[in-house]
Amino acid sequence: MIKFLDEYRDPELAQRLVEKIRNRAIRSLRLMEFCGGHTVAIMKYGLRRLLFPPVELLSGPGCPVCVTANVDIDKAIALAQKPEIILTTFGDMLKVPGSYSSLQKTRAEGGDIRIVYSAQDALEIAQGNPDKKVVFLGIGFETTAPTIAASILEAKSREIKNYYVLSLHKLCPPVIKALLDSGETRLDGIILPGHVSAIIGSYPYEFIPCDYGIGGVVAGFEPLDLLLAVEMLIAQIENQKPTIEIAYRRGVKTEGNKRAREIMEMVFDITEANWRGLGRVQASGLTLKREYQDFDAEASFVLEAAPAKEPEGCVCGEILRGIKTPLNCKLFGKQCTPEQPVGPCMVSSEGSCAAYYLYGGSNNGR
Amino acid sequence: MCLAVPSQVKSIEGPYAEVEIGGVSRNVSIILTPDVKVGDYILVHTGYAIGVVDEDEAQATIKLFNELSG
Ligand code: SF4
């Protein structure tokens, strides 16, 4: 038994909770799970199928690999093509098709691209290769950004001068707002990301009930955690009291992790960011502060790339906005599979297309 | 990508904690969770602890599951 995991996977309890939710939902409800990690758990444990109807679960834009715009993937590829550069990245990015190539192809063509588990590993590679410039491909949300910020502070204090970050970090609350503003998807509630919230806490979501009249519940990643969040959202809907709650109190405090936020704020300024499917969203990204410009890959290298283009037929962008599911894509499971991905939603282990493909394909969707 | 695994701290040395993840011993940075103690469970994300598991809350949630499904 693994502590803090297995207790939250009890199948009998889960079955009882599912029945309770199904009997209770007063009308058909559409809830969005923002986070890609939630999408995976929901598909893996068949929760989407178990709850529908009356509860429909829609995936949102919470997969950092998936929301990285092609223009930014092209930039990373352009960096990796430079002979003086070692590009370090989390493994998920390798196979993502950019406009014309991928990091994997670039590596096969001789680019020095190394998969790392942590920004710390990238820092060690920089220290071990003083004649090279080591760029870390900084993707991720508020969960990951503080770790990258910490690596930059460490590079500064250890005087590692050949370490750079290409900061493509993105922030969750502003994109939730953009999604709700677009009005494209009618939602009755949002299952809020667990580990993003471990950092930012639950206050930054207060605008959701205030401005849009729907509730949000922060959820953990085990099946019972997710069912609890759904149950809490339904209770809010029944009582007509939309609010922000936490169903994952063992991991998330209302105030979040202050130290992590301080470190993030020391290194990064908030800026506009470019999201796949959503375009440019104000104040939804992070860029290195002036004091840390020497570590900023964008400021340190000239990057020329041809205009970005999207993979033909791929509806990943619409899936990320919750207006389509992978089953609405003609290429799903045919031309597009995890082995031969057309779009990023099939590459990332957290992408909706990959989760649908892996855990049941067409039967699981409905 | 925002995966974080609960892992128990075996020892602490400076800004690092030793934990066991999947049977393998690893050193993770605790720079983001300076108050962590030996014996605590930390949430490990890409080599960094991003939070400490609150054991009382963990129990309270399990109680809640039982109440709700009862
Ligand atoms: S199945 Fe492939 S092509 Fe279709 S939306 Fe998903 S990633 Fe894009």
Side-chain angles (χ1 to χ4, degrees):
Chain A
M1 172 132 172
I2 307 174
K3 203 169 170 197
F4 300 125
L5 288 180
D6 289 342
E7 306 101 295
Y8 302 89
R9 290 178 182 165
D10 183 331
E12 238 168 79
L13 268 184
Q15 191 54 43
R16 291 216 295 272
L17 260 179
V18 165
E19 268 155 38
K20 191 133 191 205
I21 289 168
R22 293 188 57 150
N23 292 334
R24 189 164 175 202
I26 32 173
R27 57 178 168 91
S28 64
L29 298 173
R30 289 159 63 89
L31 307 178
M32 175 178 275
E33 86 272 4
F34 177 88
C35 168
H38 284 157
T39 303
V40 172
I42 284 167
M43 295 306 289
K44 183 168 166 189
Y45 295 101
L47 301 183
R48 195 181 147 82
R49 187 169 31 94
L50 288 171
L51 293 174
F52 183 85
V55 178
E56 185 177 5
L57 294 175
L58 297 163
S59 314
C63 155
V65 171
C66 308
V67 295
T68 303
N70 262 8
V71 53
D72 291 327
I73 295 167
D74 296 347
K75 261 186 218 165
I77 292 171
L79 280 168
Q81 285 166 340
K82 292 184 186 287
E84 72 273 25
I85 286 180
I86 300 176
L87 187 85
T88 53
T89 174
F90 295 131
D92 260 15
M93 282 306 277
L94 214 64
K95 273 181 137 180
V96 179
S99 304
Y100 307 94
S101 186
S102 67
L103 288 172
Q104 195 172 39
K105 280 189 203 142
T106 308
R107 183 158 79 170
E109 289 157 8
D112 194 344
I113 300 173
R114 303 189 193 178
I115 294 177
V116 292
Y117 159 73
S118 159
Q120 291 223 324
D121 299 343
L123 207 55
E124 297 316 319
I125 292 174
Q127 185 157 47
N129 294 273
D131 52 331
K132 291 275 192 171
K133 296 177 192 288
V134 174
V135 177
F136 182 73
L137 181 46
I139 64 155
F141 295 140
E142 291 93 331
T143 321
T144 317
T147 73
I148 317 278
S151 79
I152 292 169
L153 291 179
E154 196 176 333
K156 185 157 187 157
S157 78
R158 281 165 58 185
E159 297 188 15
I160 300 177
K161 298 215 159 91
N162 60 331
Y163 179 65
Y164 307 84
V165 170
L166 179 64
S167 176
L168 304 176
H169 300 288
K170 297 191 167 50
L171 303 174
C172 294
V175 84
I176 294 178
K177 184 177 175 339
L179 207 69
L180 292 171
D181 279 339
S182 79
E184 286 180 322
T185 336
R186 184 186 62 79
L187 294 177
D188 297 297
I190 305 183
I191 299 173
L192 296 166
H195 293 137
V196 162
S197 308
I199 306 294
I200 68 174
S202 61
Y203 295 124
Y205 305 115
E206 291 295 341
F207 75 92
I208 300 173
C210 289
D211 300 345
Y212 301 91
I214 60 171
V217 176
V218 175
F221 295 83
E222 301 308 322
L224 286 175
D225 291 319
L226 283 154
L227 289 169
L228 178 62
V230 170
E231 152 75 30
M232 287 164 79
L233 280 168
I234 293 175
Q236 289 185 18
I237 294 165
E238 267 182 3
N239 301 329
Q240 296 181 348
K241 286 213 176 83
T243 178
I244 299 300
E245 293 180 282
I246 301 172
Y248 183 39
R249 292 213 167 264
R250 67 185 180 284
V252 176
K253 303 211 166 2
T254 320
E255 69 280 9
N257 179 338
K258 192 162 158 267
R259 180 69 193 140
R261 282 203 307 278
E262 277 167 3
I263 288 183
M264 190 159 68
E265 284 158 17
M266 252 184 246
V267 175
F268 293 118
D269 277 329
I270 293 176
T271 183
E272 189 182 76
N274 193 357
W275 296 65
R276 181 185 304 270
L278 288 132
R280 307 202 78 87
V281 178
Q282 252 186 8
S284 71
L286 296 172
T287 180
L288 273 81
K289 274 192 192 315
R290 214 165 236 281
E291 301 99 280
Y292 296 96
Q293 224 176 30
D294 292 349
F295 299 97
D296 188 350
E298 198 116 27
S300 306
F301 302 101
V302 182
L303 294 175
E304 279 162 9
K309 59 180 176 73
E310 295 302 317
E312 220 169 293
C314 173
V315 297
C316 203
E318 283 142 294
I319 293 172
L320 294 167
R321 304 209 301 272
I323 54 178
K324 285 200 173 155
T325 77
L327 306 179
N328 300 127
C329 176
K330 290 195 190 79
L331 309 184
F332 176 77
K334 299 185 187 101
Q335 288 95 325
C336 184
T337 62
E339 291 73 44
Q340 290 285 335
V342 174
C345 299
M346 188 59 96
V347 179
S348 169
S349 54
E350 295 193 335
S352 291
C353 301
Y356 271 64
Y357 188 87
L358 203 61
Y359 300 112
S362 50
N363 306 328
N364 243 351
R366 283 283 149 83
Chain B
M1 202 190 132
C2 297
L3 219 66
V5 197
S7 319
Q8 193 174 27
V9 175
K10 304 264 179 263
S11 63
I12 292 176
E13 222 185 292
Y16 292 96
E18 191 197 343
V19 297
E20 218 183 86
I21 302 177
V24 184
S25 174
R26 273 185 187 275
N27 270 330
V28 301
S29 168
I30 50 169
I31 196 144
L32 306 175
T33 55
D35 299 331
V36 67
K37 299 181 297 296
V38 172
D40 284 349
Y41 278 77
I42 50 179
L43 293 169
V44 180
H45 170 69
T46 67
Y48 290 79
I50 57 160
V52 182
V53 177
D54 185 322
E55 305 215 13
D56 294 339
E57 291 289 1
Q59 286 313 318
T61 303
I62 293 188
K63 236 179 106 196
L64 191 60
F65 291 147
N66 283 300
E67 280 167 22
L68 279 173
S69 60

